[in-house]
Amino acid sequence: MGWLFDPAHWSGETGIPVRLAEHVGFTFGTLLIAAAIAVPLGAFVGHTGRGGFLVVGLSNALRALPTTAVLILVVLWAGLGDFPVYVALVLLAIPPIMAGTYAGIRAVDPVTVDAARGVGMRETGVLLRVEVPNALPLIYGGFRGAALQVVATATIAAYTGAGGLGRFVFDGLALQEFGQMLAGAVLVALLAVLVDLAFAGLQRLTVSPGLRPVGTGGKK
Amino acid sequence: MNWIFENWEKFWEVTEVHVRLALLPVVIGFVLSIPLGWWASRSGTARAVLFPLANILFTIPSIALIVITPVLLGVQILDEINVIVPLVVYTVALMVRSVADALAAVPGNVVAAANAMGYRPFRRFLTVEFPLALPVTVAGLRVATVSNISMVSVGALVGLGGYGQLFTEGYQNDHTEKVVAGLIGTVVLAVLADGLLLLGGRLLTPWARVGR
């Protein structure tokens, strides 16, 4: 653990703060891009009920795809850099977000939806003001799953020379410096826990209290 | 695709390693999660300890766990145990909840009926509660198996075998076909294993399809 607490490793262009920032950057960039694709798709399919098997089938198929292979393939085709990292991570993040959004919207009580139509809401209103808020717990569930996987997998970016905390793991491996590898691993694990906690907090703040599961103390 | 047929022996060799590294942890993890899940379905204390612990363990990235395991166990980084142990941990973390939820969902009157018929707890668990819990358990097992098959590749990044070896070798030699071969292998293996589990689950629970 000495490596982690050595002040020399906490500054400079290849120091822990820079790598941490890169890792966080990959994570949030990926989640934003994936959300822009997966949330509208999941919401549309969930709302109209059309193409549900496609969403479920597509998410399952994407889940079996090994991210390492995707990353390497894009690097071989398009060259080194951040682009392959984003392609690989976005493909990883889409299935849980899309599945969560779809399942969340499907699970909204049809009586509630009918009532919204009954009081004269238009379809977009039904979707945005009734279905999405009611589906938030499951949508967050999808995001949390995606965020954990992305934080974990962004580590692999360093295998092809991109930045992020994975650099400590792979540089350490190349130099046979176990302390550096371990430090990288511990930092990634800590970041994953922190990101999960952040999402839990956000969920608590934005989900209507009326939707909290009764008697289970929250997380299910 | 051609690469696979031209290098069948090599492909078969990494397939064997991949299957071993992915499925051994599923079996071990499943066996471990049965008593733990049973305990969690009985006791609130067990739940309060096991579920948050499982969540935290599941949060730890696989590459991190693969790197930390040799330090904790005092073995070389290239030992297969460094992939097997983390995958067992993930399997248990995932399955404990499935098994506990499945057992908790077994109707109380069924258990009471088995008691009334004179079943002893252990036999009742084996012949009544566990079979009824199978559908949910198998669903958890399918998720664990597919994600394990995918995660084995991560081990190759630190030098361990399996399809991931084709990824790293293909990357180093700029050999796209080799990477594609490993990718196809992984996906086919995942689909096959998932299908077999689905089929096995259906065969073991014929009653689940009655009345649908």
Side-chain angles (χ1 to χ4, degrees):
Chain A
M1 281 283 68
W3 196 96
L4 189 56
F5 296 109
D6 183 344
H9 300 135
W10 282 88
S11 63
E13 269 177 45
T14 55
I16 292 169
V18 173
R19 295 298 183 211
L20 187 68
E22 285 168 347
H23 208 96
V24 172
F26 283 143
T27 304
F28 281 97
T30 301
L31 287 177
L32 278 179
I33 300 169
I37 300 168
V39 171
L41 263 176
F44 176 77
V45 174
H47 178 72
T48 57
R50 278 182 302 195
F53 73 98
L54 207 73
V55 164
V56 175
L58 193 69
S59 335
N60 284 339
L62 280 177
R63 251 187 259 271
L65 210 62
T67 311
T68 325
V70 177
L71 174 70
I72 290 172
L73 280 179
V74 182
V75 168
L76 290 180
W77 277 322
L80 296 170
D82 286 351
F83 174 72
V85 178
Y86 279 108
V87 173
L89 293 180
V90 165
L91 278 181
L92 180 77
I94 284 177
I97 297 178
M98 189 166 65
T101 309
Y102 167 73
I105 290 197
R106 291 306 289 166
V108 177
D109 192 345
V111 175
T112 314
V113 178
D114 278 347
R117 290 202 178 105
V119 298
M121 271 192 188
R122 287 169 194 281
E123 286 306 302
T124 38
V126 172
L127 180 64
L128 294 179
R129 287 166 58 198
V130 178
E131 287 179 324
V132 170
N134 272 296
L136 271 182
L138 280 175
I139 296 179
Y140 271 114
F143 269 97
R144 287 169 77 167
L148 286 185
Q149 279 183 291
V150 171
V151 170
T153 315
T155 315
I156 290 168
Y159 181 74
T160 60
L165 293 170
R167 280 306 282 273
F168 300 128
V169 175
F170 290 108
D171 291 352
L173 188 69
L175 302 168
Q176 297 284 311
E177 262 189 48
F178 224 81
Q180 188 177 353
M181 282 172 84
L182 196 62
V186 169
L187 287 170
V188 175
L190 282 177
L191 182 63
V193 174
L194 280 179
V195 167
D196 194 46
L197 281 177
F199 267 104
L202 199 64
Q203 183 170 359
R204 252 202 125 61
L205 285 176
T206 51
V207 172
S208 156
L211 286 169
R212 281 191 199 132
V214 184
T216 57
K219 193 168 178 180
K220 216 180 140 64
Chain B
M1 272 315 256
N2 281 334
W3 190 92
I4 298 180
F5 298 114
E6 281 158 19
N7 303 273
W8 184 251
E9 257 176 47
K10 162 97 178 179
F11 186 74
W12 187 245
E13 187 193 314
V14 289
T15 303
E16 273 181 330
V17 176
H18 202 100
V19 169
R20 180 172 67 239
L21 290 182
L23 297 193
L24 205 60
V26 173
V27 176
I28 301 171
F30 181 46
V31 170
L32 288 177
S33 60
I34 296 171
L36 287 173
W38 175 81
W39 186 38
S41 76
R42 289 297 144 118
S43 134
T45 326
R47 260 199 306 281
V49 175
L50 288 177
F51 286 3
L53 186 67
N55 277 340
I56 292 172
L57 286 175
F58 206 71
T59 313
I60 302 176
S62 49
I63 183 96
L65 217 48
I66 289 171
V67 171
I68 295 168
T69 307
V71 185
L72 297 178
L73 299 182
V75 294
Q76 291 297 311
I77 188 134
L78 282 179
D79 201 318
E80 286 189 355
I81 202 99
N82 295 327
V83 174
I84 294 176
V85 167
L87 292 187
V88 167
V89 169
Y90 289 130
T91 308
V92 173
L94 209 95
M95 291 299 298
V96 158
R97 186 177 289 268
S98 291
V99 174
D101 286 350
L103 286 174
V106 173
N109 52 5
V110 174
V111 178
N115 283 341
M117 286 168 70
Y119 278 58
R120 302 226 161 230
F122 187 66
R123 194 170 152 230
R124 188 191 69 211
F125 177 79
L126 275 188
T127 58
V128 179
E129 292 170 84
F130 190 64
L132 283 176
L134 265 180
V136 179
T137 308
V138 170
L141 204 54
R142 288 174 60 191
V143 176
T145 307
V146 171
S147 65
N148 275 8
I149 288 173
S150 181
M151 265 192 284
V152 171
S153 314
V154 175
L157 300 183
V158 298
L160 288 151
Y163 289 129
Q165 205 184 324
L166 301 180
F167 303 160
T168 52
E169 287 175 9
Y171 176 60
Q172 281 148 12
N173 309 329
D174 209 345
H175 193 337
T176 309
E177 270 202 75
K178 218 172 184 178
V179 183
V180 175
L183 185 119
I184 294 173
T186 313
V187 173
V188 169
L189 194 62
V191 171
L192 262 178
D194 192 47
L196 283 178
L197 281 172
L198 176 73
L199 195 72
R202 276 170 161 257
L203 290 178
L204 284 173
T205 57
W207 62 85
R209 293 191 304 278
V210 176
R212 278 225 179 129

